[in-house]
Amino acid sequence: MNHPMSKLCAAGIQLREQIDDDYPDRDRRSDGVVADARHYATNPSSDHIPRNGIVRALDIDANLNAHPEETYALVEKIRKCAKRGDKRIKYIIYDGKIMSPILGWKRRKYKGANPHRSHFHISFTTLGDNDGKWFDLEGDRNERLKEDGGKLGQNVPSNSTRNIPRGGLGCRCDCKCGASISLA
Ligand SMILES: [Zn+2]
């Protein structure tokens, strides 16, 4: 199925940019955005399926080209950011665990077919469709406000109009969360 007009939600673009900034040499082969045709059948509720042209899910390759612990630490930062109240994040899946508002973002066993070890999955709420503001992953927004009135790192222009390239993000993943690969 072709979705030439599909694009990742603004929150997803912003979060991926922050991860790219922190891990410029990361492996992107298990990255993914848009569901492939198979997932339409196997997981029709996947957030990787565009709705009104917007994809509300992002897969990030677990290989950050850093110590493996870094991946856990990054997922933990995203989880805590959500727990502190960033309602753009709907849920996260990584390494056999799902994290969502259920039980206050506690890590719970993920029972899906794919345990998500080659990548982690982030679903976004509709609040992230057009809201590409900076994610406070370090939890230091209040300190920033004291230091510079919150300007530092804020209002990073997010290119929310960027279209997802057609055909081939070079993804090798086989994600039951509905992932990804290409628009071909
Ligand atoms: Zn996914």
Side-chain angles (χ1 to χ4, degrees), residues 2 5 8 16 49 67 75 80 86-87 114 176:
N2 270 321
M5 301 306 287
L8 180 59
R16 188 172 56 190
I49 296 174
H67 194 282
V75 169
K80 286 181 173 167
D86 197 322
K87 302 251 187 292
N114 183 320
K176 291 291 194 303

Side-chain angles (χ1 to χ4, degrees), residues 9-109:
C9 64
I13 290 169
Q14 174 62 25
L15 183 59
R16 188 172 56 190
E17 280 181 2
Q18 288 183 229
I19 294 170
D20 284 343
D21 283 349
D22 284 349
Y23 303 99
D25 300 322
R26 70 185 186 85
D27 188 344
R28 290 167 174 82
R29 282 177 291 176
S30 285
D31 276 21
V33 174
V34 185
D36 64 13
R38 185 167 61 87
H39 289 109
Y40 281 76
T42 58
N43 194 349
S45 64
S46 168
D47 290 322
H48 286 290
I49 296 174
R51 302 219 156 66
N52 297 319
I54 296 175
V55 177
R56 300 192 180 102
L58 174 63
D59 292 333
I60 297 286
D61 196 308
N63 180 3
L64 299 172
N65 198 19
H67 194 282
E69 297 278 317
E70 285 272 329
T71 312
Y72 288 91
L74 174 58
V75 169
E76 189 64 5
K77 282 180 191 177
I78 298 168
R79 185 185 72 86
K80 286 181 173 167
C81 178
K83 189 176 178 178
R84 279 193 301 269
D86 197 322
K87 302 251 187 292
R88 293 173 295 172
I89 300 167
K90 186 174 165 192
Y91 61 85
I92 310 160
I93 307 169
Y94 179 54
D95 197 19
K97 297 285 194 294
I98 182 165
M99 295 142 261
S100 79
I102 295 172
L103 297 182
W105 291 93
K106 192 169 175 287
R107 288 167 180 268
R108 294 176 290 127
K109 188 172 172 52

